[in-house]
Amino acid sequence: MTRVFHRSLAHDYPVAVSGRGVTIRDSEGRDYIDASGGAAVSCLGHSHPDVLAAMHAQLDSLAYAHTSFFTTAVAEELAQTLVADAPEGISHVYFLSGGSEAIETALKMARQYFVEIGQPQRRHIIGRRQSYHGNTLGALAVGHNAARRVQYAPLLIEAEHVSPAYDYRGRAPGETPEAYGLRLAAELEETIARLGPDSVIAFIAETVGGATCGAITAPPGYFRAIREVCDRHGILLILDEVMCGMGRTGTLHACEQEGVAPDLMTIAKGLGGGFAPIGAVLVADRVFQAFDRGSKLFQHGHTYLGHPLACAAGLAVQTVIKRDNLLANVQAQGAHLARRLGETFGNHHHVGDIRGRGLFQAIEIVADRGSKEPFDPALKLHARIKAEAMARGLMVYPSGGTADGTRGDHVLIAPPFIVDAETIDTIVERLAEAVDASLAQPG
C-alpha cells in the first residue's frame, strides 16, 4: 500500500523508473512519449548529460547556502544570463522554486512597489477569466480556474477579472481579430475606471494561455493596447510565462512576438527543464529602483530561493538551448506539429479548434462543431483521453472546463524542444487513436 498522498486517490499510478530523451519508462518496461513535457516542463527531455554534469559539479562544490547569508556564483551567473536575454527594461531576477511561488512573489512585489513610491492606497489586481496562474491562494485568486478555485473561495483575496483573449469563443461574428483585441482592451479600461485608476496595482495575464484553456493566443495588437492602458494609469503589467515562456512558443519569451515588455514577468517550467525545482520573477529596472531608493528591503522570501543546485540546472538548460540552436527546432517542429494536427483533426467532427504557437499547441473537443457546444462535463472526456493516450504510450495534457470553467475539454501538446518530425508524427497518430477511442466509449 502506498504511503504517498497522491493527487488522485482513485487512480493507480505507474512507477516511472527512467527517462531518456523524449521518453519515460515505467517499472513494467513500458515506454511513454512525453508529448506534454509533463506540464510543459521538460524542454530538453530527460537525462540530458550536460545538465546532469553541471548539477553533479555544483553538488561537489556547494549544495546549499541560505540567501539571507550568501549569494552564489551560479545564481549570479544565471541572473546575468537571464537579464541579457530578457525583454527591454528588465534589470534584475528574483529566484524561486516554481511557478506558483513566482506568481505570489510578483503580486507582493507589485504591491510593495506602490508602497515604496508613496501610493499605498492601490489594492486591486485585475486578471482574466479562464486563466491559470498557480495553485497557491494568491495565484488562485488572480487566476480563474473554476475547478481549482471552488473549494478555496472563502480563503481567496478579492480580485477582478475581465474577459480572456479567447478567439474561438470570444470574437463576435464579423468582428476582425484586431477589433476584438481593441474591444478587450476597452473592457480593461472600463474596469479600471470602475475601480478607480489610483486603486489598481496591476493587470496580470498569461501571454499565451495554458492549462485552463489550452494554448489560446491573443489577437494582433491586443497586448500593445493593454500595455498602453496600463501605462496611461500607472498600472504594472505582469506577464505570466511560467508555462508558455523560455522558448516554448519559438522565441525565448512569448511576449517578444507581441511587441511588448512587462514590468514583472514570471518564468519557471522551461527555465530548469524539470531537472530541479526553479522559477523566477524578471523585474523591470523602474520597479527595482523603487526598492533601491526606498526601504532597500523586499518583505518576502523562501528557504530555497536561489538554490545553487537549481540555479546550476537552470544555467545548464539555458546554455544547451542556445548552443544547440533549439529555438529554431521549436519553430520548425512547431510548424510541423501544426500541419499534422490540421491534417488529422481539421475535419474531425468533434474537434472545434486547433491553436497555439511553436511546441505549445492544443485541440479543443466539442460535441457539435457548428454550435461549439461542449460535451457534458459528467463524461470527463479529457480524463478518458488521457487514459487512452497513456494506454498507447503517450503523455499529453488534457483538461476540462475549457469553455467556461465547467464545460469543455481540450488537449495540450508540448513536447521537448529536441523532438523530431518522426516523433511528432507518432504523437499525432497516437493522439488521434486516443481521441477516437474516448469518443467511442458509451455514455
Side-chain angles (χ1 to χ4, degrees):
M1 182 180 73
T2 181
R3 295 297 182 181
V4 176
F5 197 140
H6 288 290
R7 287 171 176 249
S8 171
L9 306 187
H11 183 68
D12 291 327
Y13 293 89
V15 178
V17 296
S18 64
R20 187 73 58 184
V22 300
T23 302
I24 288 180
R25 176 168 292 179
D26 71 16
S27 58
E28 301 298 319
R30 290 185 293 260
D31 289 333
Y32 305 83
I33 297 175
D34 190 355
S36 60
V41 175
S42 299
C43 57
L44 296 187
H46 303 276
S47 301
H48 196 288
D50 293 355
V51 182
L52 298 182
M55 294 174 72
H56 280 295
Q58 183 61 49
L59 280 174
D60 287 341
S61 61
L62 178 68
Y64 175 70
H66 197 281
T67 52
S68 67
F69 298 94
F70 296 100
T71 187
T72 59
V74 69
E76 296 290 342
E77 186 177 356
L78 179 55
Q80 290 283 355
T81 297
L82 293 175
V83 169
D85 296 329
E88 183 180 0
I90 298 295
S91 65
H92 287 77
V93 182
Y94 193 98
F95 290 115
L96 291 310
S97 295
S100 292
E101 279 189 14
I103 291 293
E104 296 286 328
T105 299
L107 298 178
K108 291 173 74 175
M109 192 176 285
R111 164 60 186 171
Q112 190 176 334
Y113 164 79
F114 284 107
V115 173
E116 297 286 351
I117 65 171
Q119 298 181 30
Q121 79 283 357
R122 291 189 184 255
R123 57 183 295 266
H124 294 292
I125 304 287
I126 303 174
R128 300 190 298 188
R129 291 188 290 277
Q130 290 303 92
S131 61
Y132 181 63
H133 296 296
N135 257 334
T136 50
L137 292 176
L140 281 175
V142 299
H144 204 265
N145 186 296
R148 303 188 201 219
R149 282 169 55 97
V150 62
Q151 295 189 66
Y152 308 108
L155 306 179
L156 302 183
I157 61 171
E158 178 185 357
E160 294 288 326
H161 296 91
V162 296
S163 298
Y166 191 176
D167 187 277
Y168 177 62
R169 294 191 177 276
R171 182 157 61 94
E175 186 177 34
T176 67
E178 292 79 6
Y180 175 46
L182 292 176
R183 174 164 63 84
L184 294 174
E187 181 186 351
L188 175 61
E189 182 90 58
E190 293 163 4
T191 302
I192 292 168
R194 174 172 56 80
L195 295 172
D198 66 350
S199 72
V200 179
I201 293 171
F203 175 68
I204 183 170
E206 299 161 281
T207 314
V208 179
T212 298
C213 284
I216 54 172
T217 57
Y222 167 80
F223 274 108
R224 288 192 295 276
I226 292 295
R227 176 78 267 185
E228 291 170 3
V229 170
C230 290
D231 288 345
R232 191 157 52 249
H233 297 293
I235 293 165
L236 297 183
L237 174 61
I238 304 173
L239 291 183
D240 178 353
E241 297 204 357
V242 166
M243 184 172 269
C244 67
M246 302 313 291
R248 176 58 60 188
T249 64
T251 52
L252 187 63
H253 303 295
C255 63
E256 295 176 48
Q257 298 171 61
E258 306 297 342
V260 299
D263 300 299
L264 298 168
M265 184 161 71
T266 58
I267 58 175
K269 298 177 188 294
L271 173 57
F275 290 93
I278 187 170
V281 180
L282 305 186
V283 184
D285 189 57
R286 75 183 183 100
V287 175
F288 174 81
Q289 290 300 329
F291 286 78
D292 193 41
R293 296 186 187 121
S295 68
K296 297 187 182 294
L297 176 68
F298 180 30
Q299 290 283 359
H300 183 64
H302 293 278
T303 300
Y304 296 114
L305 65 88
H307 194 284
L309 184 62
C311 288
L315 182 60
V317 168
Q318 298 313 306
T319 298
V320 170
I321 289 173
K322 287 183 186 177
R323 184 197 69 197
D324 295 351
N325 197 23
L326 289 181
L327 294 186
N329 195 57
V330 172
Q331 294 166 16
Q333 298 308 327
H336 183 60
L337 175 60
R339 187 163 51 249
R340 293 291 290 115
L341 289 172
E343 292 167 354
T344 304
F345 294 106
N347 293 314
H348 195 288
H349 293 305
H350 295 296
V351 175
D353 195 28
I354 303 167
R355 54 181 179 252
R357 288 182 187 158
L359 292 177
F360 195 58
Q361 301 193 33
I363 58 172
E364 182 167 343
I365 314 296
V366 293
D368 182 82
R369 284 183 61 158
S371 67
K372 304 181 184 179
E373 180 66 22
F375 278 95
D376 183 346
L379 295 175
K380 297 187 182 299
L381 186 60
H382 58 284
R384 291 184 182 184
I385 293 172
K386 181 177 180 180
E388 291 288 352
M390 285 287 282
R392 289 161 174 78
L394 179 68
M395 295 163 57
V396 288
Y397 193 35
S399 294
T402 309
D404 57 15
T406 302
R407 303 177 308 140
D409 303 271
H410 73 268
V411 182
L412 188 65
I413 305 105
F417 300 175
I418 60 173
V419 72
D420 59 24
E422 183 179 359
T423 305
I424 292 284
D425 292 342
T426 303
I427 288 168
V428 176
E429 289 165 6
R430 293 184 185 180
L431 176 58
E433 292 174 3
V435 169
D436 288 342
S438 302
L439 293 169
Q441 292 179 22

